[in-house]
Amino acid sequence: MKIDENTIADLVKRSIINDTFRRLPLDKRERVYQTAIRLFGEYGYDGLAVNQLCREAGISKGSFFQYFPSKAHLLEFCILIFDDYLSHWVNELRQQEKAVLARDRLLYFYRALVTNSRLHATEQKFFLFINHAMDHAGVSLEDFDLERHFHEYIAEIVRRGVETREIRGDYEVEFTGYLVSVIIGGMMSREYRGQRYTRTEMEEYLISFLFDGIKA
Amino acid sequence: MKIDENTIADLVKRSIINDTFRRLPLDKRERVYQTAIRLFGEYGYDGLAVNQLCREAGISKGSFFQYFPSKAHLLEFCILIFDDYLSHWVNELRQQEKAVLARDRLLYFYRALVTNSRLHATEQKFFLFINHAMDHAGVSLEDFDLERHFHEYIAEIVRRGVETREIRGDYEVEFTGYLVSVIIGGMMSREYRGQRYTRTEMEEYLISFLFDGIKA
DNA sequence: ATTGAATATGACCATCTGGTCATAATTGAA
DNA sequence: TTCAATTATGACCAGATGGTCATATTCAAT
């Protein structure tokens, strides 16, 4: 995904990045961003050394601090750009998706997640880092709920499902949606590991587990 | 929980801690351990400064490095002691629990988890830190699966449940058990947050969701 | 009271960190 | 070609970090 110009301009206004960075050639901006989320995802906040980032991104330290007010601002920048990326990703998915039944829609979403996370290991790591890491240098990570795009999409599926009487509606849609995404998340992390089951079997179990529970 | 003498002796043999630490008075050992898991849980691995630990635990820096070969060994020590603690906790729970039906046993487990995590915020934070943190200074955190005690216990409940035809057995017990604990975990983290529902309502939804799924 | 071993201590060290800044290189308009 | 503005650079800085070590203290056994 290309970094959105409007978003960049907004970040300049909010003093998260400097105008110098906005004026930079596209490929340089991309290089810095990609290197940053890779290193953050791999080594964490403290583990990313500005020196290393500069070396691997091919810029000098002096330049770095002309682009970003501080290391903490780099993190915030990465989070916000990544948030944009997720938003686009979910939106595209929503447009492509043609299914009607809730079970098919959930399956479609699950498949897309699995495929995507296999494709983009770096983004995956960064996502996990932000989701689990603690606060750093005044950047309260709890303010950035990267999962909300997923949650909102699933909640929408659940809402329709309740309307069409496919899904129970005795508890809040948002709550049920949350539990659904917890299960999907759990299934996903199983995808990476052992795999005693084929992908089709995983999908079958997911849907069956979701809709029917563990009852014999 | 008192730190187990046998465990300590084993850690000395494995050169994770020095013999000096083993010979220390109980309260001092406890103080160091408690302070360490609190600071690790609060600030993470890099965020815990040995100086601060020494200050808050009331020991000198020189002493610290007579107790532990390095900071990384302190972390390993904490993880292994904590692992012991979890093992004891689950064992006690298992002995106290008298229920027969799988749904009652799962409920009992869930209640115990909620109660315990409310009581011991420090341990909770440390647990989350270990579960989510990335590797540090040669300590591969993936080697320490702190959740396995929970997983094993739940898997046992599921196994019995399958035998008594309460729980479906079309997939591996271990897999189903994993999904059950994923849901329980999800419910737990909801406990901390918004709480539009009473605890009883949460429990009812958990069981109903687990056994019956989201089907209308 | 003496002695020898175990333990405690904090000044000290090399290294690394995020961040600065004076200077050099590049750019683009006139 | 000139020149002013923008961007690039890396030596440098103060502070903090994990870790060391010579010395001081404590303690138990005689």
Side-chain angles (χ1 to χ4, degrees), chain B residues 48 50 61 65 71:
Chain B
L48 176 147
V50 177
K61 199 170 185 174
F65 284 98
K71 180 178 165 182

Side-chain angles (χ1 to χ4, degrees), chain B residues 47-91:
Chain B
L48 176 147
V50 177
N51 273 318
Q52 188 185 357
L53 171 73
C54 291
R55 204 183 317 122
E56 300 201 17
I59 61 172
S60 73
K61 199 170 185 174
S63 288
F64 176 87
F65 284 98
Q66 253 161 355
Y67 304 158
F68 305 95
S70 76
K71 180 178 165 182
H73 285 84
L74 170 71
L75 174 62
E76 204 167 342
F77 162 76
C78 286
I79 294 174
L80 292 169
I81 294 296
F82 193 79
D83 195 81
D84 246 35
Y85 161 76
L86 286 183
S87 167
H88 278 84
W89 188 83
V90 171
N91 266 343

